[in-house]
Amino acid sequence: MRLPLMSLWSWPLVLLLWWGSAVTAAAPPAGEDLAAAVATVASKGADDNAVHKAKRLLIAHGGGALEVVGPPLLKAVADKQQDLMVRMNAADVLGQMRPPAPAAGPALVAIATDPTDRVRASAALALGQMKYGEPPAIDALAALLAERDKELRTVAATALGCIGAPAVAGLSALLRTCDDHDRSVRFAAITAVGRLGPPAAAAAQPLLLTRLRAPDELDRAAAADALGQLGEASPEVVAALATALADPAPDVRKAAAEGLGAAGPPAAAAAPALEQAAKDPATRLIAQVALARITRSPDALAALRQIAIDDDADQAVFDGIDKLGRDGVPILIEVVRADRQSAGRAIQSLGRLGSAARPAVPVLIDLLKAGRTAGRRTRFDASLAAVAQLGPAARDAAPVLRQIAPTLDSDEAKAKVADALRAIEQSEPSTRP
């Protein structure tokens, strides 16, 4: 879904909350000095590349760096005499560190009332990144929804959505913001309401059903998405989303199909409308995934399999199959066995499914036995990552991993084999239903 264009400084903040941070945690370079990295982040006028590198290092160290990193960054954030960019960068690091510094939440709440708009926005961003759902944070973010600056309102709404169900205390303020005069703010607020999930359903559904009929297609698309995210698919909601499948705007039709799919079997009454939507090139994939999630019928699963096995299948296809949980595993196995271009994405999906993908372990073992040769390296690496994600469910792969480890010509690959063995022998895998 296309998002509205915003000013250069605020737009990256919303992107960081919405799709994850642009400063990704990377393995820290050997010999880097955490204290020096903190000094760089806290230095006024420091080179942008140096600051970016320092932030990456600090975030990568996460909780292991708290004793060194936490106090000076907290001091920089709280110091109203400090340079603006220093305060913003410090807040960004605090928001992304895992686990977060224990004192970071209260410190960021305190600066959410700072006189400078950009500092308040940075605090809101970091609170959302941390998913800090304590009452003072929710109150502070809800208060920002009443600010005159539209970008502050947008960031605050998005932060509440990132926090999710614990932010339900801010629902009333979010619902008021759904009628904001600015469309980008409305979009953020409507979408955030959906991210609060079932605790918000009863109070939010009437307003969202109204926004689903709004003149602005961005409002309608956000409302369709939010209704699906709430997780309470009443007959009225199912009927409204089924009607929205015929909306003139493709983004609205897509959001409606996604919402119906998220509802699962309670949306069975919408199956005929989804079958029609599956004939629309704009909604074909999403509608087919929705049908499979709702009906789990052989016909729906077979149609999705045909889409997945095609060489043109993109990541969105496999994101949809992920949502089927165990029912998607046979489709993924068939794609891998067919040895098509989409096999790599199918292997990655198997890993994301965790222990639900246990039936695929023999296929992954065959790929590992084929070796890390030219032309097979990508699939070998993906299979290795997948068995690590499966954890104990992939215990049958452990003997093969021990056998192939000495044959690998890369220290990095050998290290990944060791990591996979540790995951198989020690970790508890995640499971999707």
Side-chain angles (χ1 to χ4, degrees):
M1 185 184 301
R2 291 187 304 273
L3 299 179
L5 194 62
M6 301 174 65
S7 71
L8 292 178
W9 77 263
S10 64
W11 182 232
L13 298 180
V14 177
L15 285 178
L16 287 174
L17 280 169
W18 209 260
W19 290 294
S21 171
V23 182
T24 56
E32 286 284 353
D33 183 355
L34 290 175
V38 172
T40 299
V41 171
S43 296
K44 178 180 179 180
D47 176 75
D48 287 346
N49 289 332
V51 171
H52 183 79
K53 182 179 178 182
K55 288 169 67 176
R56 283 173 59 89
L57 175 65
L58 296 173
I59 293 164
H61 271 283
L66 282 179
E67 290 185 5
V68 175
V69 172
L73 289 182
L74 289 167
K75 181 179 178 181
V77 163
D79 185 359
K80 294 183 180 181
Q81 305 304 313
Q82 180 60 272
D83 178 72
L84 174 63
M85 288 305 301
V86 168
R87 298 181 75 191
M88 292 173 63
N89 283 326
D92 187 26
V93 173
L94 288 169
Q96 294 188 63
M97 291 184 73
R98 298 293 178 270
L108 291 166
V109 169
I111 66 166
T113 58
D114 192 272
T116 306
D117 286 352
R118 294 177 72 179
V119 172
R120 294 202 299 280
S122 294
L125 167 67
L127 290 168
Q129 288 173 318
M130 291 173 60
K131 300 187 184 298
Y132 187 70
E134 294 299 316
I138 305 307
D139 291 345
L141 291 170
L144 292 177
L145 294 175
E147 289 281 350
R148 293 183 61 183
D149 187 281
K150 68 178 182 180
E151 285 127 355
L152 258 178
R153 300 197 303 276
T154 301
V155 171
T158 308
L160 287 167
C162 286
I163 292 168
V168 72
L171 178 60
S172 295
L174 274 175
L175 291 176
R176 290 193 296 272
T177 310
C178 290
D179 290 321
D180 196 277
H181 62 84
D182 184 87
R183 74 192 302 247
S184 64
V185 177
R186 289 197 308 272
F187 173 87
I190 294 168
T191 305
V193 167
R195 299 301 186 269
L196 302 187
Q205 281 181 357
L207 181 140
L208 294 176
L209 288 167
T210 299
R211 301 314 303 176
L212 193 57
R213 300 187 294 272
D216 190 328
E217 70 178 74
L218 197 64
D219 285 12
R220 300 198 303 275
D225 175 74
L227 285 165
Q229 293 286 337
L230 286 176
E232 298 287 339
S234 67
E236 185 181 9
V237 168
V238 171
L241 290 175
T243 299
L245 291 172
D247 193 280
D251 283 346
V252 179
R253 301 199 299 274
K254 292 176 183 177
E258 175 66 31
L260 289 166
L274 283 167
E275 289 170 357
Q276 286 300 118
K279 300 174 183 177
D280 175 359
T283 54
R284 173 176 172 252
L285 169 62
I286 299 175
Q288 201 61 65
V289 170
L291 280 168
R293 295 175 75 185
I294 291 168
T295 69
R296 307 291 168 127
S297 71
D299 287 346
L301 293 170
L304 187 56
R305 168 206 163 278
Q306 192 57 46
I307 294 172
I309 210 165
D310 192 293
D311 282 339
D312 293 331
D314 61 15
Q315 187 57 47
V317 174
F318 295 95
D319 289 343
I321 296 173
D322 285 356
K323 295 169 184 174
L324 296 176
R326 288 184 178 88
D327 288 341
V329 173
I331 297 174
L332 297 169
I333 290 174
E334 190 162 354
V335 174
V336 175
R337 283 178 172 159
D339 202 27
R340 306 296 289 269
Q341 290 182 17
S342 51
R345 290 194 171 102
I347 296 167
Q348 291 170 354
S349 282
L350 289 168
R352 289 192 295 270
L353 288 173
S355 63
R358 185 191 299 270
V361 171
V363 177
L364 296 173
I365 288 174
D366 287 343
L367 290 169
L368 293 170
K369 286 180 176 178
R372 198 171 184 266
T373 57
R376 308 293 298 182
R377 184 165 300 176
T378 299
R379 292 181 189 182
F380 177 94
D381 290 346
S383 300
L384 183 57
V387 296
Q389 289 173 288
L390 266 65
R395 60 182 177 273
D396 290 348
V400 176
L401 292 173
R402 293 190 185 95
Q403 181 181 357
I404 64 176
T407 69
L408 298 173
D409 59 1
S410 161
D411 289 341
E412 181 181 1
K414 290 178 181 178
K416 288 181 178 178
V417 169
D419 289 342
L421 283 168
R422 280 192 292 271
I424 290 169
E425 293 165 354
Q426 298 175 18
S427 68
E428 288 297 327
S430 60
T431 306
R432 296 197 185 188

